[in-house]
C-alpha cells in the first residue's frame, strides 16, 4: 500500500494521468485485502465496469482491461476463489488474440498465473480436464521457448513450476518432485523469493 501511494505521488508530479487512474483503481482492492471479514471479495473490488473504464484515455483502455483481468486471475489463485476463473481466462485469451502486445513484465506474469490456474482447476472433480491440460501445456511451451532464447534467469523457475504442476495433475510424482526442486533452486539462484515460496508450497 505504501509503495502504491508513493508511486501515485510521483505520477501526480509528472502528470501521468493514466497511471494515477490505474493506482486509484488498484486502491479499491485494499479494504477487501485488509478486511478480517471472511465474506469480503477482493475479486469483485477489481471488477472494471464501463464507468471506471471511461475515465481512462482511449488508447490505454485495452491494456487496462487486460491488466484488470490478469489481476483478478492472480487473486483467484492467491485466495483459491475459482468461481468465474474460466470466464476470466477466456476474456484474457480473447484480448490477447486481438491485441497480443503488452509490456514484457506483464506478459510473463499473465501467462504464469494463467498456467497455474489451469492446473489448479484441472484437479477439480467437475473440471474439463482436457481443456485445462491443453491450456497449461500451451503456457509451458511458451516458457520453454523463452528459456531457449536465453532468458532462463526470468523464466526457468516459472517453467519448472508449471512442469511440476502438470506432472502432479497426471500423478507423475517423480517428475513433479524433480521439477519442484528445480523451480526452488532456480528461484533461489535468481533471487526470486516469491517464486521460491510458491514452489515450496
Amino acid at each position: 500500500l505504501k509503495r502504491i501511494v508513493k508511486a501515485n505521488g510521483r505520477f501526480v508530479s509528472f502528470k501521468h494521468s493514466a497511471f494515477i487512474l490505474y493506482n486509484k483503481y488498484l486502491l479499491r482492492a485494499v479494504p477487501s485485502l485488509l478486511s478480517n471479514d471472511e465474506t469480503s471479495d477482493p475479486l469483485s473490488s477489481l471488477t472494471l465496469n464501463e464507468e471506471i473504464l471511461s475515465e481512462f484515455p482511449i488508447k490505454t483502455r485495452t491494456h487496462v482491461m487486460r491488466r484488470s483481468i490478469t489481476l483478478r486471475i492472480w487473486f483467484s489463485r492467491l485466495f483459491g476463489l475459482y468461481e468465474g476463473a474460466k470466464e476470466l481466462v477466456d476474456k484474457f485469451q480473447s484480448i490477447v488474440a486481438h491485441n497480443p502486445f503488452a509490456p514484457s513484465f506483464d506478459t510473463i506474469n499473465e501467462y504464469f498465473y494463467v498456467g497455474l490456474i489451469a492446473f489448479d482447476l484441472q484437479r477439480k472433480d467437475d473440471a474439463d480436464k482436457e481443456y485445462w491440460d491443453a491450456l497449461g501445456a500451451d503456457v509451458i511451451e511458451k516458457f520453454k521457448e523463452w528459456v531457449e532464447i536465453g532468458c532462463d534467469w526470468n523464466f526457468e523457475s516459472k517453467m519448472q513450476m508449471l512442469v511440476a504442476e502438470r506432472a502432479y495433475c497426471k500423478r507423475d510424482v517423480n517428475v513433479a518432485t524433480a521439477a519442484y526442486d528445480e523451480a526452488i533452486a532456480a528461484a533461489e539462484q535468481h533471487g526470486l523469493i516469491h517464486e521460491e515460496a510458491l514452489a515450496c508450497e
Side-chain angles (χ1 to χ4, degrees):
L1 177 58
K2 288 180 180 178
R3 290 176 65 185
I4 292 175
V5 171
K6 185 177 180 180
N8 198 61
R10 290 199 299 270
F11 295 145
V12 170
S13 66
F14 288 110
K15 298 182 179 179
H16 289 172
S17 58
F19 288 108
I20 294 168
L21 287 167
Y22 187 66
N23 272 345
K24 179 182 174 183
Y25 158 70
L26 288 178
L27 287 168
R28 295 173 65 223
V30 171
S32 293
L33 291 171
L34 298 178
S35 174
N36 291 324
D37 184 356
E38 293 183 0
T39 64
S40 64
D41 183 2
L43 266 71
S44 294
S45 64
L46 287 174
T47 299
L48 193 63
N49 59 36
E50 289 297 325
E51 181 181 352
I52 297 169
L53 193 61
S54 67
E55 296 178 8
F56 288 87
I58 292 173
K59 63 182 180 181
T60 68
R61 290 178 189 174
T62 299
H63 181 62
V64 170
M65 286 174 61
R66 178 170 175 159
R67 293 293 293 134
S68 167
I69 290 167
T70 52
L71 275 170
R72 288 156 68 195
I73 289 171
W74 177 56
F75 273 31
S76 293
R77 197 347 169 109
L78 187 64
F79 296 105
L81 302 171
Y82 296 117
E83 185 177 349
K86 186 178 187 303
E87 181 184 354
L88 290 172
V89 170
D90 288 345
K91 285 181 179 178
F92 167 71
Q93 290 181 300
S94 175
I95 288 177
V96 170
H98 292 92
N99 185 27
F101 302 105
S104 57
F105 179 77
D106 290 349
T107 302
I108 297 165
N109 287 291
E110 286 172 351
Y111 280 109
F112 181 49
Y113 279 95
V114 165
L116 291 178
I117 279 281
F119 294 126
D120 281 348
L121 289 176
Q122 192 180 335
R123 297 181 186 127
K124 303 294 182 186
D125 291 337
D126 59 345
D128 182 346
K129 298 186 187 302
E130 289 186 6
Y131 170 84
W132 291 114
D133 184 62
L135 177 60
D138 182 62
V139 172
I140 289 173
E141 287 305 310
K142 284 182 171 57
F143 277 96
K144 283 182 177 178
E145 290 173 11
W146 293 332
V147 169
E148 286 171 2
I149 63 174
C151 298
D152 58 310
W153 186 280
N154 289 321
F155 303 126
E156 180 70 26
S157 58
K158 296 177 181 68
M159 184 193 75
Q160 292 294 349
M161 176 86 173
L162 293 167
V163 168
E165 290 285 290
R166 189 178 190 212
Y168 182 87
C169 288
K170 294 181 176 297
R171 304 183 186 278
D172 192 334
V173 177
N174 291 333
V175 171
T177 301
Y180 282 128
D181 287 343
E182 289 284 341
I184 292 166
E188 182 180 19
Q189 180 184 356
H190 300 147
L192 304 174
I193 191 170
H194 56 298
E195 290 179 19
E196 184 181 354
L198 269 178
C200 285
E201 285 182 0

